[in-house]
Amino acid sequence: MKVTTVLGMGLAGVMASVFMGGNALAASTVVGGAACHYYDGNDVSNIEYLSYGVLNTSTIANNVKKVVCPVTKQSSNFGGLTVKVNLDSNGPRTVSCTLYGYDVTGKAMGLNTVSNRTSGKESLMLKLPTSTPRSYFSVVCKLPSNEASVLYSVESLN
């Protein structure tokens, strides 16, 4: 009986530490790639939305197209924003994404650009150091032509 009680209390302590941990970044919002939109109106026919993401279907070589993805942030967080962009690409430096931040008046609060480093599945980490309760953000990604990369999702990690 004592062993069962001790094990039960130990398990409860482990579970409490897992669910009440303080400093780990956990996704507060995940936006699927299909929620992203073409950046330029004339690109509407080159951006394809799939159930698992978005890609550039242009068959013209080196015809990079941009998509803009929504990003949300908890209004109570003033410590900036960390965003993870999940993608799959056929080569290094074929995708670049930029996180833009603006305050309530529309004044730019900063930007951060990152490119993929390898081929295959990868997560790009983008960070802005400051934010306000009413600041807003977006991610713009450049996707290569010929369905060479898929943007799966954008995660806010605050």
Side-chain angles (χ1 to χ4, degrees):
M1 182 70 172
K2 289 181 183 178
V3 173
T4 305
T5 303
V6 170
L7 287 175
M9 289 174 58
L11 181 59
V14 169
M15 295 303 286
S17 68
V18 168
F19 290 113
M20 297 173 67
N23 292 335
L25 289 176
S28 61
T29 306
V30 179
V31 176
C36 301
H37 294 278
Y38 50 88
Y39 188 80
D40 295 313
N42 59 349
D43 293 340
V44 65
S45 62
N46 296 123
I47 302 300
E48 185 169 342
Y49 304 96
L50 308 168
S51 61
Y52 54 85
V54 63
L55 51 84
N56 176 1
T57 60
S58 173
T59 56
I60 301 169
N62 300 318
N63 193 13
V64 173
K65 300 295 181 182
K66 295 181 201 175
V67 294
V68 59
C69 306
V71 177
T72 61
K73 177 192 79 69
Q74 295 177 5
S75 62
S76 61
N77 184 334
F78 299 99
L81 182 67
T82 301
V83 172
K84 182 166 67 169
V85 178
N86 300 302
L87 56 92
D88 191 355
S89 64
N90 69 351
R93 294 175 300 284
T94 56
V95 177
S96 68
C97 295
T98 303
L99 172 63
Y100 294 92
Y102 301 93
D103 69 13
V104 69
T105 67
K107 179 181 172 190
M109 295 175 55
L111 61 92
N112 179 232
T113 302
V114 177
S115 295
N116 67 317
R117 294 183 181 172
T118 65
S119 62
K121 290 182 172 54
E122 186 175 355
S123 294
L124 306 179
M125 299 297 283
L126 299 144
K127 297 179 183 181
L128 288 179
T130 61
S131 62
T132 65
R134 295 178 60 196
S135 53
Y136 56 98
F137 302 88
S138 62
V139 170
V140 176
C141 292
K142 295 178 182 177
L143 301 176
S145 57
N146 292 313
E147 302 180 12
S149 297
V150 176
L151 190 155
Y152 292 122
S153 63
V154 176
E155 302 179 37
S156 299
L157 299 178
N158 299 65

